[in-house]
């Protein structure tokens, strides 16, 4: 008992420390706004600057990590045996906060690397084959990304011969942007580079998944915003279009893969890819509009990006925390084994429902708001009549609407299968309502989701500072001012407060009308189901069945292998058991990554045979040769 | 002015009929659609004829109605009755995918048309878009379908598209040329019908 | 737009008129179908009687039901009501006309679907899961066309609010066809395409025959019906009324595309109301006609139909971006 208490101390200490230092950094960044801070040491200078973008990200990171830390004060109980989790997660959060305020290349890269390393340590925290594999893939991918980002920074350094971000303003050419953005989009999990994400996010403990999915992927967005809107020299419109296309692709395929998952956390991880795709679409339009000088579209798209970062961070972190609680109290993440949790975890299910409504963009909540701004900027870019952008916007609208509806389907599946119906296994039957602290940790972001959804004007007027910093303009945050996308004429208006009031008022009227004029008798009875007597709770619709019809129509997106194994000798229709196995593969993984891996192994084997020898002189000779080649490259190419 | 709008509707209906053709596996329906499409084309030509008061276009209208609306579908129906195929069973790509692909072809043709557009087109610039889209979708039909009938329909659609483009860019071709083209088309349909029948008899397609 | 008290009053009148008319349209279609089959048919006002009856009955809740079963019927019903608050049917200034954005309308429809499917999965009946799965299957396929239809309307008229959109078309059409001025702004082809496209989407979203047949309780035809299988009493009443409202929403938008005539002041309201009801009756006859002549489709052939609708709205979109 005594020992256990001692172990709990790590949990309390480091979570409270995270909360306090996050709060400290928030206060610091608010008071130190527009100031610089340089810490000099013997060989390296750490320089920090609190500009509007950093302030936004610091507040974003700190607030969400405060919620998650509150949550993990209680949730972390089961990790007390290995308290390194809390230490790592504290440093993970700190490295991200400092990353957001760092103002020179070396500081940025050091904290970027620290963030990657701590998140890697957290991914492999639980041990076991699966987490080692995911950790390796994550480590590999994230370092390829870091190489590209570093390359971008080195090119910037060669151009400006300075480490400070201040001198990078307007210095980045197209090569630098391409390298850095590719590197950052690996971290963000954008579609061709996303393979690590659906493996790494689910294997980490839930509070860490919440941090990774709610915050860490957004750090890549931070880098991209910094490069595209601060460092970029001459805007290249086609870069914006490429980002838009990649984003639309990720949005659609991400949610399509999410629909196919059985594992709750894997579903959420794929949904992260979708939301990153939506953010990328916004960035693409905004950058394109900047290049083509369509001011209002640029501002609206940027507003959509910033709002979506907040919305996704809030709802995704709350959903990951919820999934952690499901895992903790039922010991499974497989939704085919769950069901009926809503009866056992009543409050959690309400919170989860609101999180789901927010992330699948249901109208009065915040998810819809950012998607609405994205739609508006897409329509705006159709209005510009630019020869190519018109077509890409139309395609993007189609893909965005498809992914919006598919998100509804995927999250209905998640909520319906997990929380509704009857318990499918004994795991689900034994669930209990989570602890109050855990519920509070989820409730705060969920409450903020509702608040931002219904009354976003305060947030928008605060975001205007960031929008001004990035684009040099602001959007109107007045509740009843219509948006003007391209001409001076008002185009449209979505007044969330008005809609929410209307919904509430009509709901109340209908409710009280029916209370007065209808019978209030109620009887609790068996489920009718057309009179079928279903004692077996496995006769309910399964998650796989739920999504199979949609997956059949969009079968070209998946490379799925499914087979049914019967016992051979039994009669045709009365089999005692049949085994259905289904494996859904990522098309990118199947057609790009695995062939690339095979090719790499093949080439290295050939190389190995050709080059490797046991003679040490030959090896030394290779070393010597490569040194000379380096010198030659240095002399003739760089200088 | 209102005539322009109505002409626009006719042109749109040409494209719509091709899209319906892509979306339906039934061959009888496809032939009917082809007849309808040719009728819309004929009406479009008629509107041009009234607009420019050109005898060439009137003649072209009459020939189109006789050949494309009546004769060619009649022969196709006759052949179909003998062959007894009622629908396309397997295609290289599924119907929804084909329709979405047709949509992207339409977008593409609008892009191309905007790139190479020049003035002097009878009824608005988009006639060229529509004819290009019809052309591409007809070609797609020929590529993706396996039955000879669907390929014939695709071929005829392409012909209609070219006819439409010619009529939109110039104020109608000389009557003699048009007659020659239509006669060629008619003969080729006859030959194809004979071929189908013979194939059916000998190889059992 | 400056609102005054008159706008408010007539907005409220319009709202309640549509709500009260909704079961009539559904009943009218039903009656037409039955007469065409040679049956005697129900009373046209039967659905009002049904609703009233359902309110008086007791609710039988499943023992596996959760809070979703309690709130979902209300939210489904209310989200349709809010859409109706935004729609201008015969009076230009609808109550929520300020914020009647087209994308909002499309997503509010998705909100209703979301809660209806959650309701279906709540009681743990296999039929519910089946219905929810199929409902989302249809929604996923028809949502792009729906949003494309709305956005093509927005691009065609350069307006984003549904009230402005149809007022613009109304003004443009009046100018072009009656006065003969400024005819470049209007088109026949775009509303035509959008009408057909919306008709297809409307049929699939409202559980009409080529896609679904809610009159039977066979699991083969269950889309909408399987979702509300467990509902009873006033919950069922709300769902049923909600489906009439949804039908009315689609029919109203169709009627506005077909022939936009909305009253701008008080004196035009009677005429506008009559025109509205006439248009709706014509559309009801059209839908009943389609339902009578067409057989029920196989589920996996529905994508063919919906892809055509998507393609038509895409063509309309291409036509409407022509001017830029």
């Amino acid at each position: 008992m005594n020992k256990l208490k001692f172990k709990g101390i790590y949990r309390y200490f480091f979570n409270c420390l995270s909360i306090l230092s996050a709060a400290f950094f928030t206060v610091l960044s608010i008071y130190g706004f527009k100031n610089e801070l340089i810490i000099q040491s013997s060989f390296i200078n750490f320089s920090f600057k609190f500009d509007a973008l950093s302030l936004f990200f610091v507040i974003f990171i700190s607030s969400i990590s405060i919620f998650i830390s509150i949550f993990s004060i209680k949730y972390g109980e089961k990790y007390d045996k290995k308290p390194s989790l809390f230490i790592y997660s504290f440093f993970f959060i700190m490295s991200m906060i400092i990353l957001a305020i760092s103002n020179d290349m070396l500081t940025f890269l050091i904290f970027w690397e620290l963030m990657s390393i701590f998140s890697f340590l957290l991914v492999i925290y639980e041990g076991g084959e699966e987490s080692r594999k995911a950790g390796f893939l994550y480590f590999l991918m994230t370092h390829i990304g870091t190489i590209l980002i570093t390359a971008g920074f080195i090119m910037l350094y060669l151009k400006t011969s300075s480490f400070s971000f201040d001198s990078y303003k307007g210095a980045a050419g197209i090569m630098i942007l391409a390298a850095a953005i590719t590197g950052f989009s690996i971290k963000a999990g954008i579609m061709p580079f996303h393979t690590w994400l659906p493996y790494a996010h689910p294997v980490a403990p839930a509070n860490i998944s919440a941090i990774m999915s709610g915050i860490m992927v957004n750090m890549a967005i931070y880098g991209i915003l910094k490069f595209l809107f601060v460092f970029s020299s001459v805007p290249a419109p086609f870069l914006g279009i490429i980002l838009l296309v990649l984003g639309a692709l990720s949005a659609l395929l991400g949610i399509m893969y999410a629909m196919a998952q059985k594992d709750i956390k894997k579903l959420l991880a794929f949904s992260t890819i979708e939301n990153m795709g939506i953010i990328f679409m916004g960035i693409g339009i905004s950058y394109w509009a900047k290049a083509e000088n369509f001011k209002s579209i640029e501002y609206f798209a940027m507003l959509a990006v910033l709002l979506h970062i907040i919305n996704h961070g809030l709802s995704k972190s709350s959903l990951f925390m919820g999934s952690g609680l499901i895992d903790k109290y039922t010991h499974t993440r497989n939704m085919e084994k769950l069901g009926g949790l809503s009866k056992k975890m009543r409050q959690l299910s309400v919170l989860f429902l609101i999180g789901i409504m927010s992330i699948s963009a249901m109208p009065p909540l915040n998810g819809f708001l950012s998607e609405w701004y994205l739609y508006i900027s897409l329509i705006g870019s159709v209005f510009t009549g630019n020869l190519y952008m018109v077509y890409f916007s139309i395609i993007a609208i189609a893909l965005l609407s498809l992914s919006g509806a598919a998100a509804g389907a995927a999250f209905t599946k998640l909520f319906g299968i997990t929380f509704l119906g009857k318990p499918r296994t004994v795991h689900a039957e034994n669930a209990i309502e989570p602890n109050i602290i855990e519920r509070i940790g989820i409730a705060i972001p969920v409450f903020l989701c509702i608040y931002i959804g219904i009354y976003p004007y305060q947030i928008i007027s605060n975001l205007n500072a960031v929008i001004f910093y990035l684009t040099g303009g602001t959007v109107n945050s007045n509740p009843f001012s219509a948006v003007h996308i391209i001409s001076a004429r008002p185009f449209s208006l979505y007044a969330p407060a008005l809609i929410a009031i209307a919904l509430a008022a009509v709901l109340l009227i209908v409710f009280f009308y029916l209370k007065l004029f209808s019978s209030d008798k109620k009887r609790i009875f068996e489920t009718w189901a057309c009179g079928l007597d279903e004692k077996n709770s496995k006769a309910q619709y399964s998650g796989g069945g739920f999504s199979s019809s949609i997956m059949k129509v969009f079968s070209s997106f998946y490379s799925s292998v499914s087979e049914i194994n019967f016992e051979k000798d039994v009669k045709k229709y009365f089999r005692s058991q049949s085994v259905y196995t289904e494996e859904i593969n990522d098309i990118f993984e199947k057609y790009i990554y695995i062939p690339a891996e095979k090719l790499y192994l093949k080439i290295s084997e050939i190389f190995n045979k050709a080059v490797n020898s046991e003679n040490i002189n030959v090896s030394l000779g290779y070393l010597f040769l490569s040194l000379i080649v380096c010198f030659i490259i240095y002399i003739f190419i760089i200088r | 002015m209102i005539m322009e709008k109505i002409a626009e509707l006719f042109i749109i209906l040409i494209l719509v009929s091709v899209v319906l053709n892509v979306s339906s596996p039934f061959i009888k329906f496809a032939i009917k659609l082809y007849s309808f499409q040719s009728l819309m084309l004929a009406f479009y030509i008629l509107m041009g004829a009234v607009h420019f008061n050109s005898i060439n276009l009137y003649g072209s209208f009459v020939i189109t109605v006789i050949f494309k609306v009546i004769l060619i579908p009649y022969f196709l129906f006759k052949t179909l009755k003998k062959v007894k195929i009622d629908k396309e069973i397997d295609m290289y790509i599924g119907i929804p995918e084909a329709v979405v692909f047709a949509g992207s072809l339409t977008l593409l043709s609008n892009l191309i048309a905007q790139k190479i557009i020049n003035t002097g087109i009878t009824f608005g610039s988009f006639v060229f878009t529509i004819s290009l889209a019809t052309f591409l979708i007809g070609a797609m039909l020929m590529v993706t379908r396996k039955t000879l009938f669907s390929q014939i329909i695709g071929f005829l659609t392409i012909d209609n598209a070219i006819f439409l483009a010619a009529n939109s860019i110039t104020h109608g071709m000389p009557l003699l040329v048009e007659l020659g083209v239509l006669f060629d088309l008619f003969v080729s349909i006859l030959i194809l019908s004979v071929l189908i029948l013979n194939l059916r008899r000998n190889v059992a397609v | 737009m400056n609102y005054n008290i008159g706008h408010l009053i007539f907005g409220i009148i319009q709202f309640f008129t549509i709500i009260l008319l909704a079961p009539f349209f559904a009943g009218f279609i039903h009656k037409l179908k039955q007469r065409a089959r040679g049956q005697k048919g129900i009373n046209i006002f039967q659905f009002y009687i049904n609703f009233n009856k359902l309110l008086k009955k007791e609710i039988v809740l499943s023992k596996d039901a959760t809070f979703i079963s309690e709130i979902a019927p209300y939210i489904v019903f209310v989200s349709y009501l809010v859409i109706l608050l935004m729609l201008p049917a015969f009076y230009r200034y609808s109550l929520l006309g300020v914020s009647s954005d087209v994308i909002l309308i499309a997503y509010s429809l998705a909100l209703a679907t979301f809660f209806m499917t959650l309701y279906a999965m709540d009681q743990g009946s296999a039929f519910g899961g089946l219905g929810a799965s199929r409902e989302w299957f249809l929604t996923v396929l028809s949502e792009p066309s729906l949003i494309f239809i709305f956005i093509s309307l927005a691009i065609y008229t350069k307006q984003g609010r549904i009230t402005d959109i149809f007022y613009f078309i109304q003004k443009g059409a009046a100018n072009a066809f009656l006065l003969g001025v400024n005819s470049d702004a209007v088109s026949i082809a775009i509303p035509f395409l959008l009408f057909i496209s919306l008709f297809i989407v409307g049929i699939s979203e409202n559980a009409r025959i080529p896609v679904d047949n809610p009159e039977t309780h066979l699991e083969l035809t269950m889309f909408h019906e399987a979702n509300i299988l467990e509902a009873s009493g006033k919950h069922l009443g709300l769902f049923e009324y909600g489906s009439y409202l949804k039908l009315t929403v689609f029919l109203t938008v169709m009627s506005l595309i077909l022939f936009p005539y909305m009253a701008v002041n008080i004196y035009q309201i009677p005429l506008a109301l009559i025109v509205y009801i006439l248009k709706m009756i014509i559309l009801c006859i059209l839908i009943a006609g389609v339902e009578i002549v067409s057989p029920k489709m196989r589920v996996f052939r529905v994508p063919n139909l919906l892809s055509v609708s998507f393609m038509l709205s895409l063509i309309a979109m291409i036509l409407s971006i022509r001017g830029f």
Side-chain angles (χ1 to χ4, degrees), chain A residues 249-435:
Chain A
L249 197 73
S250 314
L252 182 61
L253 288 179
I255 200 66
M256 282 296 167
Y257 287 135
M259 189 138 41
Q261 304 305 321
K262 287 193 191 82
D263 186 333
I264 298 174
K265 281 172 90 174
K266 214 161 185 174
L267 194 155
L268 292 174
F270 272 112
S271 152
T272 301
I273 297 176
E274 183 225 352
N275 285 290
M276 284 298 120
I278 289 171
I279 291 173
F280 256 60
M281 286 166 84
I283 295 176
I285 297 165
S286 187
Y287 187 71
W288 171 85
K290 181 188 176 187
E292 298 278 356
N293 206 16
F294 294 114
K295 287 292 174 202
S296 50
I297 298 171
E298 188 188 350
Y299 309 149
F300 279 121
M302 186 48 72
L303 176 63
V305 169
L306 298 175
L307 267 179
H308 205 82
I309 289 174
I310 300 177
N311 296 343
H312 170 245
L314 290 173
S315 48
K316 188 50 68 62
S317 57
S318 65
L319 289 181
F320 260 118
M321 288 188 262
S323 73
L325 292 183
I326 295 170
D327 190 10
K328 184 179 174 185
Y329 291 100
T330 64
H331 309 289
T332 179
R333 297 194 315 242
N334 185 347
M335 60 174 101
E336 310 283 18
K337 288 183 183 165
L338 296 168
L341 291 187
S342 191
K343 291 222 124 172
K344 310 274 172 12
M345 305 169 144
R346 203 180 152 84
Q347 293 184 12
L348 178 69
S349 71
V350 175
L351 297 174
F352 211 83
L353 177 66
I354 297 170
I356 274 175
M357 281 172 71
S358 157
I359 209 158
S360 48
M362 290 302 156
L365 292 185
N366 59 350
F368 176 68
L369 189 73
S370 43
E371 274 196 29
W372 186 78
Y373 277 113
L374 188 58
Y375 272 114
I376 285 294
S377 39
L378 278 169
I379 295 173
S381 51
V382 174
F383 275 134
T384 59
N386 180 290
L387 189 56
Y388 298 105
M389 194 57 183
V390 167
Y391 300 99
F392 285 111
S393 318
I394 289 176
I395 293 169
I397 288 172
L399 296 185
L400 184 62
S401 54
L402 189 55
S403 68
F411 285 105
T412 309
K413 172 186 168 180
L414 172 58
F415 191 80
I417 302 291
T418 322
F419 281 95
L420 305 180
K422 293 175 205 153
R424 286 183 175 75
T425 54
V426 72
H427 290 295
E429 269 167 32
N430 297 337
I432 48 165
E433 184 82 78
N435 186 281

Side-chain angles (χ1 to χ4, degrees), chain B residues 11-12 14-15 126-135 164, chain C residues 315:
Chain B
I11 298 164
I12 288 301
I14 293 175
L15 185 56
F126 80 107
V127 182
F128 190 67
T129 306
I130 300 294
S131 64
L132 200 58
T134 314
F135 180 91
L164 179 65
Chain C
I315 298 172

Side-chain angles (χ1 to χ4, degrees), chain C residues 36 41 119 158 173 187 197 214 218 224 235 243 262 281 301-302 314:
Chain C
Y119 182 87
K158 301 189 182 63
S187 152
S197 182
L218 281 174
H224 177 74
H235 290 171
S243 71
M262 298 175 292
I281 284 175
R301 269 189 56 204
V302 175
L314 180 68

Side-chain angles (χ1 to χ4, degrees), chain A residues 343 361 371-372 375 412 421-422 482 489 491-492 495 519-523 525-529 546 553, chain C residues 55 57-59 61-64 67 70 99 101 107 122-124 133 136-137 158 160-161 230 234 321:
Chain A
K343 291 222 124 172
E371 274 196 29
W372 186 78
Y375 272 114
T412 309
K422 293 175 205 153
R489 208 184 32 227
F491 176 70
S492 186
S519 129
D520 233 6
K521 269 189 286 179
K522 205 176 277 178
R523 189 149 55 97
F525 203 66
E526 292 274 338
T527 303
W528 178 52
F546 187 87
V553 176
Chain C
L55 288 192
K57 290 201 163 190
E58 71 167 353
I59 301 168
L61 272 181
S62 159
K63 65 177 169 48
D64 298 307
F67 68 98
E70 301 274 358
S99 176
D101 187 78
Y107 272 73
D122 194 22
Q123 299 85 7
S133 163
W136 274 112
F137 169 71
K158 301 189 182 63
R161 297 174 206 163
E230 300 292 327
K234 64 180 168 190
I321 61 172

Side-chain angles (χ1 to χ4, degrees), chain B residues 1-2 5 8 23 106 110, chain C residues 177 183 186-187 308 311 318:
Chain B
M1 190 177 59
I2 287 174
K5 306 288 172 199
E8 192 181 290
S23 77
T106 316
N110 198 26
Chain C
F177 296 117
S183 64
V186 292
S187 152
V308 171
M311 176 71 187
I318 291 173

